[in-house]
Amino acid sequence: MDFDHIPVLLTETIELLNCKKDGIYVDCTVGGGGHAVEIASNLTANGTLIGIDQDLAAIKAAKESLSEVECEVKLVRDNYKNVDKVLNKFRIDSVDGLLFDLGFSSHQIDTAQRGFSYRYEAPLDMRMDQRASTTAADLVNNLSQSKLTDIIAEYGEEKWASRIAEFIVNRRQEQPFELTTELVETIKAAIPAGARRNGPHPAKRTFQALRIAVNDELEILSKTLDKIVPLLRSEGRIAVITFHSLEDRIVKHKFKELAQDCICPPDFPICACDEESKIEIINKQPITAQQEEIDNNPRARSAKLRVAEKL
């Protein structure tokens, strides 16, 4: 199966990354290489593109997509949380740009056996890196009811979280969960019929929550953003594309924190902290897709792009 994935906000992202022809750029979630190919097309033979992805299928697809670009290409199968270690491995101290296209790809959803989708029957997996040990089945079969409630409520923003967790625990006492369809049926049974008539698929929020938990997505994002500034050269840029409010909130707050000049309490007469802004936020409001792009790629509807520059 081809790694079919349409890059979202492509024009806006490349424009705001402000690529330098001989620069070094890191696509931290290279996927099939959609954004990476466009970045590479802005670089000369003296430029370097590093692509990171924890999904082996993505690395293979990116290798093919980037086979004819002019710049130097380095592809690494790893989690983007290790971007500093990847750069260290190549003896690179700093880079001109970092791109994070968060969430999961069309390929991952459409490959039924990966277990990301509530639309296909498949093993309840959801691991982005198939070398990882914990699957979604492990979580639904072993976590306490209260922990399941917390995960579904926090990561899925699901108002029926406690009822869904209760139904999961009752169902697993009869038989452990193995398939996506078993979980979907349990979620449908937990949500009252009236609440299921409107809005998204009843399992959408719970599947999102489990995917985030299995892959530790929010914790990894937060910790990675804490260490990106030293990796950027002066005037180097970071671009982050998010797909739900939890991710966007983390990026927004981290950027705001890094752009802050003084962290003294408001009642201090003069600054005593000597803190200085580390970045300048390029777009105060997130950039979203135009209707034409949404019509061509419905996944773009929820995408938000935030960009910052190192001072």
Side-chain angles (χ1 to χ4, degrees):
M1 181 178 184
D2 291 334
F3 202 101
D4 182 30
H5 180 62
I6 306 168
V8 303
L9 296 169
L10 181 60
T11 305
E12 296 88 342
T13 301
I14 302 306
E15 184 182 323
L16 288 176
L17 268 177
N18 200 21
C19 296
K20 296 170 182 171
K21 291 184 184 299
D22 299 341
I24 302 173
Y25 291 85
V26 187
D27 187 335
C28 296
T29 48
V30 73
H35 288 102
V37 168
E38 202 61 33
I39 293 170
S41 72
N42 284 272
L43 305 179
T44 65
N46 294 323
T48 302
L49 174 76
I50 298 165
I52 302 171
D53 207 293
Q54 58 188 329
D55 191 324
L56 181 60
I59 291 294
K60 287 178 177 176
K63 185 176 181 180
E64 192 175 325
S65 300
L66 292 159
S67 60
E68 296 182 11
V69 301
E70 188 182 356
C71 68
E72 184 177 11
V73 174
K74 300 175 187 288
L75 295 173
V76 182
R77 187 185 181 191
D78 206 336
N79 190 299
Y80 70 69
K81 69 181 179 183
N82 297 318
V83 58
D84 50 343
K85 293 173 184 169
V86 170
L87 294 179
N88 193 42
K89 174 184 166 186
F90 294 127
R91 296 181 178 164
I92 294 171
D93 296 326
S94 55
V95 301
D96 296 287
L98 293 157
L99 169 63
F100 297 83
D101 177 7
L102 303 176
F104 54 107
S105 70
S106 310
H107 173 83
Q108 287 166 330
I109 306 167
D110 294 336
T111 305
Q113 64 265 30
R114 299 294 297 271
F116 285 107
S117 177
Y118 43 79
R119 300 190 187 279
Y120 308 120
E121 178 165 280
L124 199 51
D125 193 324
M126 302 195 194
R127 291 171 299 169
M128 287 187 182
D129 185 340
Q130 291 172 306
R131 297 169 297 182
S133 56
T134 303
T135 66
D138 293 326
L139 299 189
V140 297
N141 287 323
N142 298 311
L143 291 181
S144 67
Q145 185 173 323
S146 63
K147 185 63 179 170
L148 279 170
T149 301
D150 290 345
I151 285 173
I152 297 166
E154 184 182 349
Y155 296 161
E157 300 178 293
E158 172 60 78
K159 69 176 182 178
W160 297 101
S162 61
R163 193 170 155 89
I164 291 167
E166 179 189 345
F167 274 58
I168 287 172
V169 170
N170 290 340
R171 158 64 169 73
R172 78 188 188 195
Q173 285 168 356
E174 299 166 22
Q175 189 181 358
F177 287 92
E178 293 180 6
L179 301 173
T180 52
T181 44
E182 295 166 352
L183 182 58
V184 170
E185 288 308 311
T186 303
I187 294 166
K188 282 182 176 176
I191 299 176
R196 278 191 268 122
R197 285 195 196 102
N198 300 312
H201 189 285
K204 181 178 181 181
R205 294 188 181 96
T206 300
F207 269 61
Q208 172 184 296
L210 290 170
R211 190 201 83 225
I212 289 170
V214 165
N215 299 288
D216 199 18
E217 293 174 34
L218 301 184
E219 185 71 15
I220 286 170
L221 173 61
S222 183
K223 286 182 176 177
T224 304
L225 291 177
D226 279 334
K227 62 182 179 184
I228 48 116
V229 172
L231 304 180
L232 284 169
R233 293 173 177 169
S234 178
E235 297 184 355
R237 292 192 172 186
I238 173 173
V240 188
I241 302 170
T242 61
F243 288 90
H244 55 75
S245 59
L246 300 171
E247 290 173 339
D248 184 58
R249 207 173 298 144
I250 290 170
V251 179
K252 178 183 176 182
H253 289 160
K254 288 291 180 187
F255 277 12
K256 190 176 177 185
E257 197 179 293
L258 292 167
Q260 208 169 343
D261 229 343
C262 170
I263 56 171
C264 292
D267 55 349
F268 269 37
I270 57 167
C271 174
C273 70
D274 291 328
E275 282 286 327
E276 290 184 353
S277 302
K278 296 177 178 69
I279 62 168
E280 177 188 358
I281 298 170
I282 300 300
N283 55 314
K284 303 297 181 191
Q285 295 300 319
I287 292 166
T288 55
Q290 301 292 320
Q291 190 58 49
E292 184 182 354
E293 180 176 2
I294 294 168
D295 291 342
N296 292 326
N297 181 14
R299 185 172 176 264
R301 184 182 302 281
S302 56
K304 290 182 177 179
L305 169 66
R306 292 184 186 272
V307 181
E309 180 176 288
K310 183 174 178 177
L311 295 171

